[in-house]
Amino acid sequence: MSFLEKLKNQILIADGAMGTLLYSYGTDSCFEELNLSHPEQIQHIHKAYIEAGADVIQTNTYAANYLKLGRYGLEDSVKEINSAAVRNAKLAAGNDAFVLGTFGGNRGIKTNSITIEELKRSFREQLYCLLLEGVDGLLLETFYDLEELETVLTIARKETKLPIIAQISLQEPGFLQDRTPVNDAIKRLEGLGADVIGLNCRLGPHHMLLALEQIELPAHAFLSAYPNASLPAYTDGKFHYEGDAEYFRKSAQAFRKEGVRLLGGCCGTTPEHIKAFASELKNAVPIVEKVVKLKPEKITVEDRTPVRENPPLEKIVKERPSVIVELDPPRKLDSTTKFFEGAKALKEAGIDAITLADNSLATVRIANEALGYRVKTELGMRPLIHLACRDRNIIGLQSHLMGLHTLGMNDVLAITGDPARVGDFPGASSVYDVSSFELIQMIKQLNEGLSFSGKDLGQKTDFSIAAAFNPNVRTLEKAVKRLEKKIEYGADYFITQPVFSEEKLIEVYENTKHLSAPIYIGLMPLTSSKNAEFLHNEVPGIKIADSIRDRMARLNDQPQQAVREGIAITKSLIDTALDLFNGIYLITPFLRYEITAELAAYTNQRANEIRGNIYVESTIH
Ligand SMILES: Cc1cc2nc3c(=O)[nH]c(=O)nc-3n(C[C@H](O)[C@H](O)[C@H](O)COP(=O)(O)OP(=O)(O)OC[C@H]3O[C@@H](n4cnc5c(N)ncnc54)[C@H](O)[C@@H]3O)c2cc1C
Ligand SMILES: [Zn+2]
């Protein structure tokens, strides 16, 4: 009798983990390569599962595609590895078990990390290898991303009439990570021709059963479940799973009650776990009707957008000239008094926001959210918090953003961040779980009330998202393409690296006037010739025109005049910038806020004059 015919009348038991079992034996390299180098070990594991009661086993090919094998330099061995895997499984199975050819999902939370085209190419190659060798069915497992699963299922269905099992992995019961309700996803997979649809990995029996309680019996497909043994524990530098087999035995009937017909195990499970399932359910009669008690709720996120204390900067700068000033958190704990004196002076100069860098140049400074909150509460000013991907992983970034939301700080600059290598902590790691693009996307998702992994946050955030723009490059074309992409990802406006020539301002204007997002032009007053030379020659992303460096060089021995010259240069750049842009972003050098306060006041005065002129002109007509 065929696999699907059997499933019509009985529950079938599948095998458990391969990867974590090999890992627990001490293998810490490519599991799939062992099909070639240690076939007897793989066959031994398959046999152990069959002896435990598995009716169905899967090939050791979870990551046997060129995308994942590439990590071990084995991208050219897809055919050999998959062929050997099928041979090993068939040798072990004989006539005692069905053999499923397994494919694992490649995309996690960062769905754009691999393109659909690449996924298709990689899947096709593996598919042909497994089909050629002859399997009884295909198992598509551990798919967090529905788009990826639908893509590969569509290809597989076109290529074969063999049974196809399509399994989703859930972060939480009820929804996939893109918030598709799980019942909708199952219907879509059914529509694409999956014969068995289910859940695997990530969740242990407790949460997988909670998820199954919300799942309707598909009309034309069977349900499957491959729970993990438990959450993984980490001891002495190794992961291990503690869920014991007796716990699995006790949960088996509950899986039957939820309509599962193919029951196996995922990460952390062993032949003992499968034996426990088999002892309860082997050849058991499946249920045919089910009342879904707990339907997944529709998105519960409060639809109310939180009331902002002030309009977002992108709105302000579209309507009128606006000046924001970077006043960086100090490097020394005893410099906060000076910082707040500066913030006060800038407030008096009438700026729209203080921007606080996030350990720029990877140099440690007081946490910007702490000072930002004090700027907001003690001075009633708007803090704009820079947020770099360098120092926090995805967990840290989201938690940080949720904290900023809770503190009512809604203005952020999303940046990749200067690498740790450039900073004052040699050897510190640069995290870079995501780049600025994905960070922007993630913040947009929080604005929809959803976490990075698609979980309901109960409330929407209201972040206005700035992104970085470095115009100090030879050709602007590439940089502008990055801006277009940042807008696509959700950037609301841009802030540039400091610009040091009028020609560059005009070039930036000409190349960006088509963009929908407004731009704050960065201007940084020079304080000395040494300062100019250091910035020009040593700081990434900064280039200063020769004429300006010459002007500073002439005042090499006159420190005060040099500062005045730096201010004069910046004022003339402000004049040009205001003809072309509404946004001015001043960078305070060395906490010398009196310089940026003077420039901010100058900007506001010039802006008023321009407005006055417009007013006079318009009254003339
Ligand atoms: C306004 C502003 C504020 C900043 N604040 C901070 C801060 O607080 N903390 C901090 O650590 N850093 C800060 N930076 C520096 C910033 O992280 C780096 O300059 C970065 O390389 C550019 O911005 P990003 O991080 O958004 O990079 P992205 O645009 O995300 O670029 C990421 C990577 O791509 C490269 N890249 C950028 N442009 C191009 C291009 N045209 N062609 C090819 N490759 C390119 C970059 O070198 C970088 O490695 C700031 C920069 C700006 C403009
Ligand atoms: Zn798993």
Side-chain angles (χ1 to χ4, degrees):
M1 212 188 296
S2 77
F3 170 68
L4 288 179
E5 275 163 14
K6 279 202 166 182
L7 273 183
K8 276 187 193 154
N9 305 307
Q10 72 185 79
I11 290 176
L12 291 182
I13 301 296
D15 54 356
M18 174 65 80
T20 46
L21 204 58
L22 289 166
Y23 180 75
S24 75
Y25 296 161
T27 309
D28 209 359
S29 56
C30 175
F31 301 139
E32 288 73 14
E33 192 278 333
L34 298 178
N35 288 308
L36 292 170
S37 60
H38 292 76
E40 67 299 331
Q41 188 182 18
I42 303 302
Q43 288 166 27
H44 175 78
I45 293 174
H46 287 317
K47 278 188 191 145
Y49 278 120
I50 295 166
E51 273 159 31
D55 306 296
V56 183
I57 61 168
Q58 56 173 293
T59 52
N60 176 30
T61 52
Y62 175 77
N65 61 57
Y66 77 80
L67 294 171
K68 284 187 173 159
L69 289 177
R71 291 181 200 156
Y72 303 94
L74 293 169
E75 61 277 17
D76 295 330
S77 306
V78 175
K79 185 163 189 306
E80 291 93 313
I81 289 176
N82 281 280
S83 306
V86 179
R87 282 198 302 276
N88 289 333
K90 280 169 129 179
L91 271 172
N95 292 322
D96 299 332
F98 295 106
V99 171
L100 303 176
T102 292
F103 306 80
N106 291 285
R107 278 179 165 180
I109 291 179
K110 294 190 273 173
T111 50
N112 57 350
S113 55
I114 311 171
T115 64
I116 284 293
E117 282 319 307
E118 186 127 46
L119 289 171
K120 281 183 180 171
R121 219 174 305 141
S122 149
F123 180 76
R124 276 208 176 92
E125 183 186 21
Q126 195 186 354
L127 176 67
Y128 298 144
C129 297
L130 288 174
L131 289 179
L132 211 67
E133 210 60 43
V135 286
D136 301 313
L138 303 178
L139 173 61
L140 315 176
E141 66 169 359
T142 328
F143 284 80
Y144 287 94
D145 182 48
L146 186 58
E147 185 188 22
E148 181 183 4
L149 181 52
E150 290 186 308
T151 303
V152 299
L153 172 59
T154 306
I155 295 175
R157 190 68 297 164
K158 264 196 201 147
E159 293 292 333
T160 179
K161 292 200 162 58
L162 287 175
I164 301 178
I165 298 130
Q167 292 189 149
I168 299 161
S169 294
L170 297 178
Q171 302 280 359
E172 62 173 341
F175 296 93
L176 277 73
Q177 73 181 16
D178 68 354
R179 298 307 291 178
T180 305
V182 72
N183 284 317
D184 292 0
I186 289 176
K187 285 197 181 93
R188 277 157 62 172
L189 297 169
E190 226 184 330
L192 293 172
D195 302 290
V196 182
I197 302 168
L199 306 177
N200 81 292
C201 206
R202 171 89 182 118
L203 310 175
H206 174 76
H207 288 101
M208 197 165 277
L209 283 164
L210 284 180
L212 285 162
E213 278 176 17
Q214 305 181 14
I215 291 179
E216 294 156 8
L217 288 185
H220 308 290
F222 302 123
L223 272 188
S224 64
Y226 286 50
N228 277 1
S230 64
L231 292 169
Y234 190 63
T235 323
D236 297 334
K238 287 209 79 159
F239 288 101
H240 61 100
Y241 290 80
E242 291 172 351
D244 79 358
E246 178 56 16
Y247 179 62
F248 261 49
R249 194 188 59 73
K250 285 188 193 147
S251 70
Q253 290 297 342
F255 281 100
R256 177 179 172 272
K257 235 178 89 204
E258 296 306 334
V260 171
R261 291 186 187 220
L262 178 65
L263 182 62
C266 206
C267 297
T269 57
T270 63
E272 286 304 306
H273 294 85
I274 296 309
K275 195 168 164 189
F277 272 166
S279 71
E280 288 288 317
L281 291 182
K282 199 168 166 74
N283 302 328
V285 179
I287 62 148
V288 288
E289 262 179 62
K290 170 179 176 186
V291 181
V292 175
K293 278 178 261 154
L294 198 71
K295 286 240 175 180
E297 291 170 27
K298 290 284 168 210
I299 293 182
T300 56
V301 177
E302 254 183 72
D303 227 9
R304 179 180 62 84
T305 303
V307 183
R308 260 187 167 267
E309 287 167 19
N310 42 31
L313 284 173
E314 70 270 18
K315 187 158 186 282
I316 292 178
V317 75
K318 272 185 186 163
E319 288 168 3
R320 63 161 170 83
S322 162
V323 55
I324 59 177
V325 179
E326 179 169 327
L327 184 69
D328 286 336
R331 296 175 198 206
K332 292 190 173 182
L333 293 169
D334 61 2
S335 304
T336 49
T337 310
K338 190 162 181 209
F339 175 88
F340 283 102
E341 279 168 17
K344 242 188 242 163
L346 291 167
K347 182 178 180 180
E348 279 156 23
I351 66 169
D352 285 315
I354 285 198
T355 93
L356 297 103
D358 188 7
N359 302 323
S360 53
L361 293 174
T363 299
V364 179
R365 292 167 180 274
I366 298 173
N368 59 0
E369 72 271 31
L371 291 182
Y373 188 61
R374 286 188 58 189
V375 161
K376 175 181 147 69
T377 49
E378 293 171 23
L379 301 176
M381 298 176 81
R382 181 204 302 254
L384 192 164
I385 308 292
H386 299 202
L387 181 52
C389 305
R390 175 197 55 236
D391 301 332
R392 300 170 193 87
N393 65 9
I394 301 180
I395 301 166
L397 286 171
Q398 176 169 324
S399 155
H400 187 57
L401 284 158
M402 289 166 78
L404 293 177
H405 166 79
T406 306
L407 296 172
M409 294 193 278
N410 303 317
D411 300 280
V412 289
L413 168 68
I415 41 180
T416 302
D418 300 315
R421 193 161 16 104
V422 307
D424 60 357
F425 266 45
S429 32
S430 300
V431 180
Y432 298 140
D433 256 7
V434 288
S435 71
S436 62
F437 293 102
E438 290 145 333
L439 178 58
I440 293 167
Q441 192 182 34
M442 288 169 177
I443 303 173
K444 270 281 170 251
Q445 199 160 320
L446 294 190
N447 280 353
E448 292 302 314
L450 299 175
S451 83
F452 299 166
S453 59
K455 288 190 187 175
D456 176 356
L457 291 176
Q459 202 178 59
K460 295 177 178 182
T461 60
D462 191 13
F463 288 110
S464 140
I465 310 166
F469 170 23
N470 179 14
N472 300 316
V473 286
R474 223 169 275 144
T475 54
L476 269 183
E477 211 174 291
K478 242 175 151 186
V480 171
K481 284 263 168 309
R482 288 178 82 80
L483 301 190
E484 286 164 359
K485 198 167 148 199
K486 284 182 178 179
I487 293 175
E488 242 173 69
Y489 276 73
D492 295 310
Y493 64 106
F494 294 106
I495 308 181
T496 79
Q497 290 280 24
V499 174
F500 287 97
S501 78
E502 283 165 8
E503 296 73 36
K504 183 58 87 178
L505 286 172
I506 294 164
E507 191 193 351
V508 169
Y509 173 73
E510 288 301 332
N511 282 275
T512 60
K513 59 186 179 199
H514 65 285
L515 297 179
S516 55
I519 296 176
Y520 278 91
I521 292 293
L523 298 172
M524 183 176 185
L526 299 167
T527 54
S528 66
S529 175
K530 273 193 186 146
N531 172 228
E533 292 307 316
F534 167 73
L535 291 170
H536 177 74
N537 292 297
E538 298 190 38
V539 177
I542 298 189
K543 285 284 161 262
I544 305 178
D546 293 350
S547 57
I548 289 180
R549 277 162 48 226
D550 289 346
R551 274 172 75 177
M552 297 306 291
R554 268 180 242 132
L555 297 166
N556 210 2
D557 305 325
Q558 296 155 275
Q560 280 172 7
Q561 272 91 333
V563 170
R564 292 310 313 166
E565 187 71 353
I567 293 176
I569 292 167
T570 312
K571 282 184 178 171
S572 110
L573 289 168
I574 289 171
D575 290 345
T576 308
L578 281 178
D579 284 341
L580 306 168
F581 299 91
N582 262 350
I584 301 292
Y585 158 64
L586 298 169
I587 300 150
T588 308
F590 313 112
L591 265 184
R592 296 197 53 182
Y593 57 82
E594 72 284 1
I595 300 178
T596 37
E598 178 181 339
L599 291 168
Y602 177 80
T603 310
N604 283 331
Q605 180 207 326
R606 290 290 296 135
N608 282 336
E609 282 167 21
I610 293 167
R611 272 198 220 154
N613 285 345
I614 293 168
Y615 179 70
V616 171
E617 277 170 27
S618 61
T619 49
I620 292 170
H621 290 292

